[in-house]
């Protein structure tokens, strides 16, 4: 390649205009564009029509200066917006955050990453009493859970503007021993709810608590059973099939979950 460049430079002195390419033609085109061409040397050492479109890298007919005249530029995106509120109150639903494209990819640059993320959430309405106290009977609700595979779509980043950058790893794991469950769990065979088939009585399961399911003030997940003494029967319900539900008892709290994948879940 170095020898080729030396030969082309020497030719430029002997034959002005012989090195006409993408830069001189002022062309850089996305995709495959037969009209995006120039006259000059190609990278395969053939002189004639050469191209300045993105597809020329695949067809091997780029002008000699394509990489320099049309450098690849990756997509750049902005920061994530704050998480939206839950779509509804007092029942499992979703919250959303988005980011915008600051620079579209050019000349074969890296494509844009996902511009929207969704996460499960559960939000409770509170009532203002006559005595000025705010009461929310969160402990009376079951723990809403889904498979830990859903966690691939949800990171430990800030769930709201109230989260600081120092709480990204503030999550924890609760271990429970299942006591009972309804027969509807074993009947699930849909792709997104098949994980319910692996729920069994008498097994120890792990449930991860992390943002945005974690409350930004209490640093707790609803239904985590952290205050129970281990003998108290707690209730859980699977997201995706409200008839798949049951009871369990708290075993312990740990920093990180270590259960098998089929027995690993997350709070919603």
């Amino acid at each position: 390649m170095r020898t080729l460049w030396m030969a082309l430079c020497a030719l430029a002195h002997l034959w002005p205009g012989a090195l006409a390419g993408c830069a001189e033609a002022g062309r850089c085109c996305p995709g495959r564009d037969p009209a995006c061409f120039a006259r000059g040397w190609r990278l395969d050492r053939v002189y004639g029509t050469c191209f300045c479109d993105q597809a020329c890298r695949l067809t091997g007919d780029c002008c000699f200066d394509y990489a320099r005249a049309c450098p690849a530029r990756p997509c750049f995106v902005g920061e994530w917006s704050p998480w939206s509120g839950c779509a509804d109150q007092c029942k499992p639903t979703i919250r959303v955050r988005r980011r915008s494209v600051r620079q579209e990819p050019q000349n074969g640059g890296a494509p844009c990453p996902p511009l929207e993320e969704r996460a499960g959430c559960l939000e409770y309405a509170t009532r203002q009493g006559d005595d000025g106290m705010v009461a929310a009977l969160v402990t009376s609700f079951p723990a809403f859970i889904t498979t830990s595979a859903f966690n691939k779509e949800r990171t430990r980043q800030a769930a709201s503007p109230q989260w600081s950058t120092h709480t990204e790893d503030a999550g924890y794991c609760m271990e429970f021993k299942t006591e009972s469950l309804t027969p509807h769990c074993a009947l699930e065979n849909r792709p997104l709810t098949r994980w319910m088939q692996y729920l069994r009585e008498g097994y120890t399961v792990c449930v991860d608590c992390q943002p945005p399911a974690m409350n930004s003030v209490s640093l707790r997940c609803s239904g985590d059973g952290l205050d129970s003494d281990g003998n108290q029967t707690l209730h859980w319900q699977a997201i995706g099939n409200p008839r798949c539900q049951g009871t369990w008892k708290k075993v312990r709290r740990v920093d990180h979950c270590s259960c098998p994948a089929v027995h690993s879940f997350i709070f919603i």
Side-chain angles (χ1 to χ4, degrees):
M1 182 61 70
R2 181 180 178 183
T3 303
L4 174 62
W5 274 104
M6 293 177 64
L8 292 175
C9 290
L11 183 61
H13 293 287
L14 299 175
W15 187 6
L19 292 185
C22 299
E24 184 168 320
R27 293 186 173 182
C28 290
C29 308
R32 182 57 173 169
D33 186 353
C36 189
F37 66 88
R39 295 286 297 178
W41 286 95
R42 301 192 328 203
L43 291 178
D44 58 3
R45 304 183 185 183
V46 174
Y47 184 82
T49 301
C50 58
F51 289 85
C52 305
D53 59 359
Q54 182 180 335
C56 73
R57 291 182 179 272
L58 300 176
T59 55
D61 52 8
C62 296
C63 295
F64 76 96
D65 66 340
Y66 175 79
R68 177 169 51 86
C70 307
R73 291 186 172 87
C75 174
F76 285 107
V77 296
E79 297 294 327
W80 285 110
S81 68
W83 284 99
S84 69
C86 293
D88 207 342
Q89 289 187 329
C90 301
K91 65 180 182 180
T93 180
I94 62 169
R95 64 176 70 196
V96 182
R97 66 176 182 173
R98 298 181 175 89
R99 55 186 173 183
S100 59
V101 176
R102 297 289 180 83
Q103 174 184 287
E104 295 284 354
Q106 300 176 10
N107 307 321
C112 295
L115 301 178
E116 179 178 289
E117 279 190 349
R118 297 189 175 200
C121 68
L122 187 64
E123 192 170 73
Y124 301 104
T126 59
R127 294 179 299 173
Q128 187 76 27
D130 295 335
D131 56 357
M133 298 294 291
V134 176
L137 299 179
V138 175
T139 55
S140 64
F141 288 88
F144 291 93
I145 63 170
T146 189
T147 172
S148 62
F150 182 70
N151 196 31
K152 295 179 181 179
E153 303 296 329
R154 189 172 81 176
T155 66
R156 290 177 181 266
Q157 297 184 20
S160 74
Q162 296 173 330
W163 284 94
S164 71
T165 57
H166 301 292
T167 59
E168 290 185 358
D169 293 321
Y172 58 92
C173 178
M174 295 299 301
E175 293 183 0
F176 300 96
K177 185 175 182 180
T178 54
E179 297 285 320
S180 67
L181 69 159
T182 60
H184 299 91
C185 303
L187 300 177
E188 273 296 345
N189 197 36
R190 293 174 295 171
L192 296 180
T193 55
R194 195 171 296 151
W195 58 272
M196 300 177 193
Q197 296 179 357
Y198 300 100
L199 288 163
R200 296 287 190 274
E201 295 179 359
Y203 279 79
T204 297
V205 299
C206 296
V207 189
D208 199 15
C209 175
Q210 59 178 269
M214 179 188 291
N215 184 281
S216 59
V217 178
S218 66
L219 301 183
R220 295 271 302 275
C221 283
S222 175
D224 63 5
L226 198 58
D227 298 326
S228 67
D229 58 8
N231 294 317
Q232 181 181 354
T233 299
L234 307 170
H235 294 267
W236 57 266
Q237 179 178 316
I239 295 298
N241 182 359
R243 294 193 295 176
C244 177
Q245 53 185 281
T247 61
W248 56 25
K249 291 182 179 180
K250 183 187 76 172
V251 176
R252 60 175 179 166
R253 167 179 169 162
V254 293
D255 291 334
H256 303 286
C257 292
S258 58
C259 295
V262 293
H263 294 151
S264 297
F265 310 99
I266 58 174
F267 289 106
I268 292 296

